Amino acid sequence: MGGLIETSYAWLLVGLAVIAEITAALALRFSNGFTKPLPAVLALAAFGSAFYLVSLALVNLPVSTVYPVWAGGGTAGVALLGILMLKERAGLWKGIGVMLIVLGIVMLNLAAGGHGA
């Protein structure tokens, strides 16, 4: 049972890393090319946190699953929040792209047995 708890905890860290990655990308958007200190510092801190959390998750999970989940989750999350919060253009191709990213993440997890094994 200890392994399951470690694996679940590792996936929680990946989820938190995805949130940190999304936060960092959105903060970059508001940093105005790193000319606004608060969003710039937030972006750097969030990116640093994301890397740290992923490094911890990689102690118990394979990089071949974790990295695509982290990168894809961040990409899909930023795309969706850009559309919903920043009123960026949403089109058919963007929607299909986000769906393919999510499908890819699901397939990677299925291939890994759902627990990164």
Coordinates of all heavy atoms in Angstrom, one line a residue, residues 10 47 50 54 70 87 105:
A10 N 2.9 11.5 -5.8 CA 3.7 11.9 -7.0 C 2.8 12.6 -8.0 O 3.1 13.6 -8.6 CB 4.5 10.8 -7.5
F47 N 7.5 29.2 -12.5 CA 8.3 28.2 -13.3 C 9.2 27.4 -12.4 O 9.4 26.2 -12.6 CB 9.1 29.0 -14.4 CG 8.3 29.3 -15.6 CD1 8.3 30.6 -16.1 CD2 7.6 28.3 -16.3 CE1 7.6 30.8 -17.3 CE2 6.9 28.6 -17.5 CZ 6.9 29.9 -18.0
A50 N 7.3 24.8 -10.6 CA 6.9 23.7 -11.5 C 8.0 22.8 -11.7 O 7.8 21.5 -11.6 CB 6.4 24.3 -12.8
V54 N 8.0 18.8 -10.4 CA 8.2 17.7 -11.4 C 9.4 16.9 -11.0 O 9.4 15.7 -11.1 CB 8.3 18.3 -12.8 CG1 8.9 17.2 -13.8 CG2 7.0 18.8 -13.3
W70 N 2.8 16.8 -17.8 CA 3.1 18.2 -17.3 C 3.0 19.2 -18.5 O 2.3 20.2 -18.4 CB 4.4 18.2 -16.6 CG 5.0 19.5 -16.2 CD1 4.3 20.5 -15.6 CD2 6.3 20.0 -16.5 NE1 5.2 21.6 -15.4 CE2 6.4 21.3 -15.9 CE3 7.4 19.4 -17.0 CZ2 7.5 22.0 -15.9 CZ3 8.6 20.1 -17.0 CH2 8.6 21.4 -16.5
K87 N -10.1 36.2 -23.4 CA -11.0 36.5 -24.6 C -10.2 36.3 -25.9 O -10.4 37.0 -26.8 CB -11.6 37.8 -24.5 CG -12.4 38.1 -23.2 CD -13.5 37.1 -23.1 CE -14.3 37.5 -21.8 NZ -14.9 36.4 -21.2
I105 N -2.6 12.8 -23.5 CA -2.3 12.6 -22.1 C -3.0 11.4 -21.5 O -2.5 10.6 -20.8 CB -2.7 13.9 -21.3 CG1 -1.7 15.0 -21.6 CG2 -2.7 13.6 -19.8 CD1 -2.2 16.4 -21.1

